[in-house]
């Protein structure tokens, strides 16, 4: 079961245990929400090449998740996202392993002609 309903209610009630979201975080979230997968991946790759630990884990997870949702049939992207998750585990190891399995399943599918 997801904790999203509880997290959403806490957000609405202002009960977040973290410091209030800043302008930079708000701008990042608003911008990435409507960005395409190429734009997201370009930005992530640029930032990570400058400082691999510079991008907060929550921002990396969000970026890769949004890119994967926009490219559900891209096994290379799923592998990259899974490898990134494994870098910050073990909390997300199960999700990363599922993404690796999904990538394998995508590659095992016969190509769609059309």
């Amino acid at each position: 079961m997801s904790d999203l309903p509880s997290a959403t209610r806490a957000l609405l009630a202002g009960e977040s245990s973290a410091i209030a979201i800043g302008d930079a975080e708000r701008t990042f979230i608003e911008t990435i929400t409507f960005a395409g997968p190429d734009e997201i991946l370009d930005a992530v790759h640029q930032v990570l090449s400058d400082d691999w630990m510079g991008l907060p884990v929550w921002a990396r997870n969000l970026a890769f998740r949004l890119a994967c949702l926009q490219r559900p049939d891209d096994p290379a992207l799923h592998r990259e996202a899974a490898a990134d998750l494994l870098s910050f585990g073990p909390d997300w190891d199960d999700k990363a392993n599922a993404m690796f399995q999904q990538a394998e399943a995508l590659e095992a599918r016969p190509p769609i002609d059309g």
Side-chain angles (χ1 to χ4, degrees):
M1 180 60 87
S2 171
D3 289 332
L4 186 55
S6 297
T8 304
R9 285 188 186 92
L11 176 68
L12 293 173
E15 298 172 2
S16 176
S17 61
I19 298 173
I21 189 169
D23 289 338
E25 291 86 357
R26 183 177 296 107
T27 298
F28 172 79
I29 293 167
E30 289 174 357
T31 304
I32 200 169
T33 298
F34 299 103
D38 291 331
E39 185 179 5
I40 292 170
L41 293 172
D42 286 345
V44 168
H45 293 154
Q46 286 177 27
V47 169
L48 296 183
S49 72
D50 292 342
D51 180 1
W52 192 80
M53 290 297 295
L55 190 60
V57 174
W58 67 265
R60 295 165 82 115
N61 289 351
L62 178 61
F64 278 116
R65 181 68 174 155
L66 290 173
C68 285
L69 286 171
Q70 293 181 69
R71 283 200 189 146
D73 297 329
D74 185 339
L77 174 56
H78 286 265
R79 278 195 183 87
E80 180 182 357
D84 197 73
L85 279 176
L86 286 177
S87 299
F88 298 99
D91 293 346
W92 299 297
D93 286 0
D94 290 345
K95 292 184 185 331
N97 290 327
M99 292 178 77
F100 281 125
Q101 290 174 351
Q102 183 179 10
E104 288 177 19
L106 287 170
E107 287 182 335
R109 283 193 332 204
I112 298 173
D113 294 329

